[in-house]
Amino acid sequence: MMTTTRAEKRQTVRSPVQWAALAYGAVFLLVGAAGFIPGITTGYDTMAFAGHHSEAMLLGIFQVSVLHNIVHLLYGVVGVALARTGTAARHFLLWGGVVYLGLWIYGLVIDKNSMANFVPLNTANDWLHLGLGVTMIALSFLPRRTHEELPHRGHDQRGRP
């Protein structure tokens, strides 16, 4: 009969913060890929590499460009990769959330018809970025250790009372 070592068990069991980072990473991958699919992205034939002239709209709501989709794909890869450990997952969610709050503020202050709107962003993107920033930061405070790794109540880390 095969036995599982503690290291192998640790690799297969994820903490809550790791699950959150993995989920966000997977969604970013899906959204990035969906941005390149005609039909899911309306106005696909008008998609530009970057800039506010791109009229492509993911789900008919969120303005996207090739650059915008690539950023989502990269965020997804980073999220999935950093979900491997609790600390890395926490950093992905925390600092990723900070970046999204920065994008939210950036989207609010720029003129959407100027060259400053290089991503591009529209009002729907702005409010989605607020939601992403707030939820990612909040989720970064989830436990970084699994239930099995936590010391039992009233016991030290070696399980002694």
Side-chain angles (χ1 to χ4, degrees), residues 101-113:
L101 287 180
L103 277 171
W104 170 61
I105 292 168
Y106 182 75
L108 292 178
V109 300
I110 63 166
D111 177 0
K112 298 283 198 269
N113 294 316

Side-chain angles (χ1 to χ4, degrees), residues 46-58:
T46 66
M47 186 182 302
F49 178 77
H52 66 282
H53 296 294
S54 181
E55 295 176 20
M57 305 284 272
L58 179 63

Side-chain angles (χ1 to χ4, degrees), residues 78-137:
V78 170
V80 169
L82 294 182
R84 295 182 73 197
T85 69
T87 300
R90 178 180 186 275
H91 284 288
F92 167 72
L93 291 167
L94 178 63
W95 297 110
V98 168
V99 168
Y100 269 105
L101 287 180
L103 277 171
W104 170 61
I105 292 168
Y106 182 75
L108 292 178
V109 300
I110 63 166
D111 177 0
K112 298 283 198 269
N113 294 316
S114 73
M115 294 303 290
N117 191 11
F118 65 93
V119 174
L121 304 170
N122 63 5
T123 303
N125 290 105
D126 294 340
W127 295 108
L128 178 61
H129 291 159
L130 171 63
L132 287 170
V134 168
T135 59
M136 288 176 78
I137 290 170

Side-chain angles (χ1 to χ4, degrees), residues 12-94:
T12 59
V13 178
R14 288 188 171 87
S15 67
V17 76
Q18 287 174 279
W19 280 114
L22 184 62
Y24 270 70
V27 169
F28 282 123
L29 286 171
L30 289 171
V31 167
F36 290 113
I37 300 173
I40 295 176
T41 300
T42 59
Y44 186 82
D45 56 330
T46 66
M47 186 182 302
F49 178 77
H52 66 282
H53 296 294
S54 181
E55 295 176 20
M57 305 284 272
L58 179 63
L59 304 174
I61 302 169
F62 305 101
Q63 189 176 12
V64 294
S65 65
V66 173
L67 176 63
H68 203 144
N69 293 333
I70 290 171
V71 168
H72 285 138
L73 290 169
L74 291 174
Y75 242 78
V77 168
V78 170
V80 169
L82 294 182
R84 295 182 73 197
T85 69
T87 300
R90 178 180 186 275
H91 284 288
F92 167 72
L93 291 167
L94 178 63

